[in-house]
């Protein structure tokens, strides 16, 4: 018997998602469609012993955090505080912010030394022991995979470095910058870099809160289904943003910058854009060791979806693919 077959959520889309996660895992779903907005939840924050999940339960976003870093870049640029062509130097090579936000910097996926420090906690909290000081040392001995702008190579290092550099330019920390420029103005009261209520699980074992101190812009953000509904809705209608800078930034992050090799997909500022017959689909997925996330929106159709679970990604997992399929069916 399927381990979740006894669970029968009322909503068929939520039921479909719950069938892709292990028994005891929680799922939260936010949907914007022609039928209106919906917030749907299933499960408890920590298996059978946790509290019931609500639209305000915080989940680890993993790489969906990168979309917030992209919006920070665009917001600071809209205010004239930075420019997309500004640079940060790694191993004597200047890399533009645009290189970092489009995965064309040539940086490796992870900075030197991280795998070594991560090994003792590889299946629980691999980034936790990698400090800012170690990142500083790594920047001098990094070897680029390719010349900047030459190829697309997904890099946690690159977007994490972008987030750190933006915070330094603003004279603050990444979490404080996120709050002052995005979460606060948009009213995202459950979006920050603090541990959320949903306890991450790997192979149905509870994990400690995800930590990524040196590269928070790559994967440290937590959020809720309610906040992500607001976050995606304002991407659908940038004019509804509370400031002119955010309106400009929300439009900026959606502008295609290049075409992915061997694909019709585009890369915007962090976001992936997939042209379809009924409109452009912008999407991003994420995962920590204990949580998985997926968000998408289509401006032309006015649809959006955010799917969250406190079960970590698996090689045979179908959560993200199912979330994308549900979104396309809206």
């Amino acid at each position: 018997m399927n381990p979740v077959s006894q669970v029968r959520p009322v909503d068929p889309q939520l039921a479909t998602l719950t069938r892709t996660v292990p028994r005891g895992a929680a799922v939260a779903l936010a949907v914007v469609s022609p039928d209106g907005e919906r917030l749907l939840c299933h499960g408890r924050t920590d298996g059978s012993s946790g509290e019931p999940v609500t639209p305000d339960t915080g989940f680890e976003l993993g790489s969906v955090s990168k979309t917030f870093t992209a919006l920070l870049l665009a917001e600071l640029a809209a205010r004239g505080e930075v420019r997309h062509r500004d640079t940060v130097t790694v191993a004597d090579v200047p890399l533009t912010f645009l290189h970092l936000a489009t995965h064309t910097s040539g940086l490796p996926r992870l900075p030197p030394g991280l795998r070594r420090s991560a090994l003792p906690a590889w299946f629980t909290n691999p980034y936790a022991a990698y400090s800012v000081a170690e990142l500083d040392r790594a920047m001098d001995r990094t070897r680029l995979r390719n010349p900047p702008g030459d190829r697309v190579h997904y890099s946690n290092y690159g977007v994490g470095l972008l987030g750190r550099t933006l915070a330094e330019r603003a004279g603050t920390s990444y979490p404080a910058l996120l709050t002052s420029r995005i979460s606060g103005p948009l009213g995202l009261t459950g979006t920050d870099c603090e541990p959320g209520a949903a306890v991450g699980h790997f192979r149905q074992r509870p994990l400690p809160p995800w930590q990524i101190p040196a590269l928070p812009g790559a994967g440290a953000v937590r959020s809720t289904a309610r906040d992500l509904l607001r976050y995606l809705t304002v991407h659908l209608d940038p004019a509804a943003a509370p400031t002119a800078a955010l309106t400009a930034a929300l439009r900026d992050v959606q502008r295609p910058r290049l075409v992915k090799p061997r694909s019709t997909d585009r890369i915007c500022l962090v976001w992936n854009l997939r042209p379809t017959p009924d409109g452009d689909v912008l999407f991003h997925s994420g995962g920590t060791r204990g949580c998985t996330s997926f968000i998408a929106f289509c401006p032309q159709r006015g649809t959006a979806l955010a799917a969250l679970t406190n079960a970590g990604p698996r090689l045979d997992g179908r959560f993200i693919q199912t979330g994308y399929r549900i979104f396309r069916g809206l």
Side-chain angles (χ1 to χ4, degrees):
M1 179 181 292
N2 186 299
V4 295
S5 62
Q6 296 177 353
V7 178
R8 298 183 183 275
V10 174
D11 185 272
Q13 294 171 337
L14 184 60
T16 299
L17 270 177
T18 62
R19 287 193 287 269
T20 69
V21 299
R23 181 176 56 192
V27 174
L29 183 63
V31 176
V32 180
S33 74
D35 296 328
E37 298 177 354
R38 287 175 296 148
L39 291 165
L40 307 164
C41 301
H42 162 76
R44 295 179 175 272
T45 55
D46 188 6
S48 60
S49 62
E51 296 295 320
V53 169
T54 75
D56 299 308
T57 298
F59 288 78
E60 297 166 354
L61 297 186
S63 286
V64 167
S65 304
K66 293 178 174 68
T67 69
F68 287 87
T69 301
L71 190 56
L72 284 172
L73 167 60
E75 200 271 353
L76 268 67
R79 291 179 181 271
E81 297 175 32
V82 303
R83 299 170 300 173
H84 293 64
R85 64 177 180 272
D86 286 351
T87 61
V88 57
T89 300
V90 179
D92 297 324
V93 179
L95 309 175
T96 69
F97 291 176
L98 189 59
H99 287 144
L100 298 173
T102 57
H103 298 292
T104 57
S105 65
L107 290 173
R109 188 180 186 92
L110 300 173
L114 191 145
R115 283 188 174 86
R116 182 180 64 252
S117 68
L119 281 177
W122 188 254
F123 294 106
T124 55
N125 221 339
Y127 290 84
Y130 195 76
S131 67
V132 172
E134 287 177 290
L135 177 63
D136 288 338
R137 291 191 291 270
M139 288 175 64
D140 290 331
R141 56 191 180 89
T142 296
R143 291 186 178 181
L144 299 187
R145 293 172 55 99
N146 309 105
D150 188 52
R151 294 188 181 183
V152 175
H153 179 74
Y154 190 88
S155 176
N156 287 325
Y157 185 4
V159 182
L161 182 59
L162 174 62
R164 171 187 164 171
T165 305
L166 293 174
E168 289 176 344
R169 290 287 188 94
T172 188
S173 66
Y174 181 88
L177 186 63
L178 176 70
T179 297
S180 65
R181 300 302 181 92
I182 298 178
S183 301
L186 293 180
L188 309 182
T189 57
T191 300
D192 51 36
C193 295
E194 296 299 318
V199 176
H201 286 72
F202 179 73
R203 294 178 179 173
Q204 297 180 265
R205 296 196 304 270
L207 298 180
W210 183 253
Q211 299 176 46
I212 181 167
L215 301 166
V221 180
R222 274 81 165 175
S223 193
T224 69
R226 190 184 307 278
D227 277 7
L228 291 176
L229 180 70
R230 166 64 175 158
Y231 182 64
L232 293 171
T233 299
V234 78
H235 277 78
L236 290 173
D237 183 14
T243 68
L246 270 173
T247 292
L250 288 159
R251 290 172 175 152
D252 191 24
V253 297
Q254 299 181 44
R255 185 162 69 85
R257 309 287 169 158
L258 53 94
V259 179
K260 293 182 74 171
R262 300 176 297 279
S263 171
T264 60
D265 287 4
R266 275 73 165 163
I267 296 179
C268 304
L269 294 182
V270 167
W271 287 93
N272 301 293
L273 185 153
R274 179 166 296 165
T276 73
D278 51 355
D280 294 334
V281 172
L282 290 98
F283 63 98
H284 210 287
S285 61
T288 63
R289 281 292 182 261
C291 289
T292 309
S293 60
F294 173 76
I295 62 174
F297 67 99
C298 177
Q300 292 85 355
R301 298 185 63 219
T303 56
L305 178 144
L308 304 168
T309 182
N310 64 341
R314 300 177 299 171
L315 290 178
D316 61 346
R318 296 179 292 115
F319 184 80
I320 292 171
Q321 294 86 341
T322 301
Y324 182 83
R325 179 166 53 84
I326 292 172
F327 167 73
R328 292 289 292 128
L330 295 177

